[in-house]
Amino acid sequence: PLGGGLDITEIDGFDNLHDAQDVLRREMERAAALWGARRSFFLVNGSTCGLLAAVYAVAAGGGSAIVARNCHKAVYHALELCGLTPRYLLPDWCAEWGIYGSVSPESVAAALADTPNARFVLLTSPTFEGALSDISAIAKLCHQAGVPLLVDEAHGAHLGLGGFPAEALACGADVVIQS
């Protein structure tokens, strides 16, 4: 195989993921432009490290966080690492499909009212099963409360393209993690 199975992103003449100056920097800038983000970072290990980094960036040092109960286990890990107390949001039950679906704006509004010291709100949208939450309405509520909205969009990299619904960043989310 190319590179003998080695990680070529840290060999002279290529680029370094941790200090991108060449091809990776240009591609991250292109990705940011495509999605309308200020910055984009390519990550390793799926979305796990992105979730850990996002939570740490907005809430290191403890406090409370409002998180959907159906989030990825990396979010629970981040809560523990940052000393955060979760206020869980239970997504709506979709009896027709037998799954938990979206998180309603009403439940976010109630959680924000019950948790005035929340450091952030974090949702998974789309869920592992494909359910989308109303990110535009939820982002508006979060911003009115002065709380950033983080969205795990690992299963939604197709959103915003080719007729699919808008992706979370275009809907007002502050930090979006995709795979």
Side-chain angles (χ1 to χ4, degrees):
L2 179 66
L6 300 176
D7 182 355
I8 64 170
T9 64
E10 296 180 12
I11 295 174
D12 289 341
F14 290 94
D15 206 352
N16 185 324
L17 185 62
H18 305 290
D19 185 27
Q21 300 296 318
D22 192 23
V23 65
L24 291 174
R25 179 187 54 80
R26 287 192 310 270
E27 293 308 311
M28 287 188 281
E29 289 170 353
R30 289 181 64 195
L34 174 65
W35 298 113
R38 282 194 307 251
R39 298 275 314 267
S40 179
F41 300 93
F42 292 169
L43 306 171
V44 295
N45 195 20
S47 294
T48 295
C49 67
L51 290 164
L52 290 166
V55 169
Y56 190 82
V58 298
S64 296
I66 300 170
V67 297
R69 194 64 179 105
N70 63 338
C71 62
H72 189 274
K73 63 184 174 180
V75 174
Y76 304 114
H77 184 197
L79 294 172
E80 177 65 26
L81 287 174
C82 292
L84 294 160
T85 302
R87 187 339 184 140
Y88 292 115
L89 296 169
L90 188 62
D92 295 333
W93 176 251
C94 178
E96 179 182 0
W97 295 97
I99 62 169
Y100 283 98
S102 61
V103 171
S104 71
E106 294 78 17
S107 67
V108 173
L112 287 165
D114 292 344
T115 318
N117 62 340
R119 304 285 301 275
F120 62 86
V121 172
L122 194 153
L123 309 176
T124 301
S125 181
T127 65
F128 301 106
E129 297 83 14
L132 293 166
S133 293
D134 186 347
I135 299 300
S136 293
I138 293 168
K140 183 181 242 184
L141 291 167
C142 289
H143 297 153
Q144 288 170 348
V147 175
L149 174 61
L150 287 65
V151 177
D152 176 355
E153 198 172 66
H155 300 283
H158 61 287
L159 296 176
L161 302 173
F164 287 102
E167 47 85 30
L169 196 60
C171 293
D174 299 291
V175 177
V176 178
I177 298 91
Q178 291 185 345
S179 283

